Amino acid sequence: MINDIFNILLPQMILALFIVVQLILSMVLSPRYFRYARLVSIVGIFLSILFLTTVQVEPQYFGFHNSIMSDSYTLLFDFVILVCGFFVALLTRNLVKTIKRNAYTFHAILLSAIFGAMNVVSANDFLTLFISVELLSFSTYFLIASSKGYYSKEASFKYLLTSTISSGVFLFGVSYLYGITGSINFSTIYEYIVNQESSILYSISAIMIVLGLISKLAVFPFANWIIDVYKGTESSILAFLSTVPKLAMFGIVCRLLVFPLGNSFELTFALALSTLVTAFWANTYAIRENNVKIILACSTAANCSYALLAASLVSVYNLSTVIFYLICYVFMNLSVFAFLNIYGDKNSQDVNSFKGLFHKNHGVVGAYAISILALAGFPITSGFISKIYLFTAIANSGLIFVPFLLILLLLTVYALFYYLKILLPLFAKFSKNDNGIEIKYVFSQKFVLIVTTVITVIIGIYPEKFIELCRFIAYNI
């Protein structure tokens, strides 16, 4: 067991240690020291990133009776999850000032969510996967509800109800798959499936398992929660919600599609239909909205649907495009929500409330505008390269999926209208008599915004090395 911990779980153990530290500090320190909670989390996440170098990836390592595994694929996802968690911890300053007394408990929950996400990606059997998903989910419920006010509690409860239903669907699928194969271990199931003809029951179980997992991605039929949750949640928590759970779910869903669940064409077709419905719903819903958070919620659902369609068309090339797309996507989102964190959650989130902000602060608003352009897929950003790369992969997957691609392309063009709805007010004429809200920020908020925007631009201009890395990871899964 000691060897397993040192070879595969040391970064997670560092996080677990700092979770305990946060809980102890919440009991012994006076509430006036609430500011140090954020620093403790930042140190813990930074150390966990450093200890990723101790994880064995070549050859693949299986620990704890094959329930957890590590390879270059899990290492990359763990690294990106921890980097996102690091940026989110930096953005929690405003929220920590609000909750004060509960700051240490809040950061213990945040670290628990990151811990759960890392274990989701590393899981090699359905029991470990279920426990890790539930740890991530329960932590997320409390994070969403951490803000004061009715809307955050309502958002948390709606997310809880949706996740409960999706967990039931997932467990039903696992029970059917266990009945077919006699195992819950991914490797054992894969060895059994490749030597058997696909059955209807196998396809049903595969569809139920994946549908249960993709509820966190806000993909049909579990998509409605995202509107209310984004509307009622504080921006730093949205920065977490739009990145870490998405990375974890895509990480494990892609692995499942490649191995234990990759022998079902029905699953591929079901996911293709689900992503198409989600993309249509999200893009048409967003065009009618003026609330920035709701528009970004629809953007999240739409972008997840694009990536999931490519992932469902199982191939190494498609997997590399999905990994690249996810890396680009999370940094765009962190940049956008970093700006909303600066602008203030107490201010109106109507697009017109941002009118003329560019004239007040060129740098901060310019970085935010670049991130919105990246989400829209404009050139010289990572959003443009990642969408081209992703749609090319879908086009190369077979003529049967060309109609799906054409519809997604049309919806992507249609989405430009609601991204422009966010952008245009920023550059509107600014009247000196306008008593608009001044942009006030601290170093940590500006640091996250600028760094993530720079990463977005660098990947957009020089994507070759990142694409090569993603191809290497995909070929070695």
Side-chain angles (χ1 to χ4, degrees), residues 214 216-220 223 226 246 250 268 270-283 297-313 322 325-326 329 387 390-391 394 404-405 407-409 411-412 415 418-419:
I214 64 175
K216 304 294 185 298
L217 305 178
V219 176
F220 178 84
I226 195 169
K246 304 297 185 289
F250 266 112
T268 299
L271 285 178
L273 287 176
S274 177
T275 56
L276 198 64
V277 171
T278 304
F280 180 80
W281 166 78
N283 287 312
C298 295
S299 171
T300 296
N303 279 284
C304 286
S305 67
Y306 305 154
L308 188 60
L309 177 59
S312 67
L313 311 177
V322 172
Y325 193 86
L326 290 174
Y329 168 78
K387 279 185 169 62
L390 191 77
F391 291 153
I394 297 173
F404 292 90
L405 175 61
I407 295 172
L408 288 185
L409 287 172
L411 289 172
T412 303
Y418 62 78
Y419 287 119

Side-chain angles (χ1 to χ4, degrees), residues 168-420:
V169 173
F170 169 78
L171 288 176
F172 267 111
V174 171
S175 66
Y176 293 152
L177 191 60
Y178 176 77
I180 296 170
T181 63
S183 176
I184 59 172
N185 184 270
F186 298 165
S187 303
T188 306
I189 293 171
Y190 178 69
E191 291 174 2
Y192 179 89
I193 292 301
V194 293
N195 296 315
Q196 303 289 330
E197 291 187 7
S198 179
S199 65
I200 295 177
L201 187 59
Y202 167 76
S203 295
I204 292 173
S205 65
I207 291 171
M208 294 181 74
I209 289 170
V210 175
L211 287 182
L213 291 173
I214 64 175
S215 66
K216 304 294 185 298
L217 305 178
V219 176
F220 178 84
F222 302 107
N224 285 337
W225 63 266
I226 195 169
I227 302 297
D228 294 317
V229 169
Y230 271 57
K231 186 177 180 180
T233 306
E234 199 265 348
S235 57
S236 63
I237 305 305
L238 287 181
F240 171 86
L241 196 62
S242 65
T243 55
V244 174
K246 304 297 185 289
L247 286 166
M249 290 303 113
F250 266 112
I252 193 61
V253 166
C254 288
R255 187 182 289 280
L256 291 175
L257 289 172
V258 171
F259 290 109
L261 306 183
N263 200 30
S264 172
F265 176 77
E266 290 83 0
L267 173 60
T268 299
F269 195 71
L271 285 178
L273 287 176
S274 177
T275 56
L276 198 64
V277 171
T278 304
F280 180 80
W281 166 78
N283 287 312
T284 53
Y285 192 99
I287 203 71
R288 299 176 289 136
E289 286 293 333
N290 288 319
N291 186 295
V292 174
K293 286 186 176 180
I294 293 179
I295 293 175
L296 292 175
C298 295
S299 171
T300 296
N303 279 284
C304 286
S305 67
Y306 305 154
L308 188 60
L309 177 59
S312 67
L313 311 177
V314 183
S315 74
V316 173
Y317 181 72
N318 282 22
L319 179 59
S320 69
T321 65
V322 172
I323 296 172
F324 180 71
Y325 193 86
L326 290 174
I327 292 173
C328 298
Y329 168 78
V330 294
F331 287 113
M332 296 180 227
N333 266 273
L334 284 170
S335 183
V336 168
F337 287 111
F339 175 79
L340 292 183
N341 192 253
I342 292 171
Y343 184 74
D345 290 279
K346 293 182 180 180
N347 301 323
S348 171
Q349 297 299 329
D350 189 274
V351 291
N352 293 317
S353 67
F354 293 78
K355 186 176 180 180
L357 283 183
F358 179 76
H359 303 285
K360 295 184 178 181
N361 192 311
H362 301 304
V364 170
V365 179
Y368 171 65
I370 291 172
S371 302
I372 296 296
L373 289 172
L375 285 173
F378 273 75
I380 321 181
T381 66
S382 61
F384 174 74
I385 298 297
S386 59
K387 279 185 169 62
I388 293 294
Y389 193 29
L390 191 77
F391 291 153
T392 301
I394 297 173
N396 292 332
S397 297
L399 290 176
I400 190 173
F401 296 105
V402 170
F404 292 90
L405 175 61
L406 292 176
I407 295 172
L408 288 185
L409 287 172
L410 289 174
L411 289 172
T412 303
V413 175
Y414 186 68
L416 295 177
F417 290 99
Y418 62 78
Y419 287 119
L420 290 175

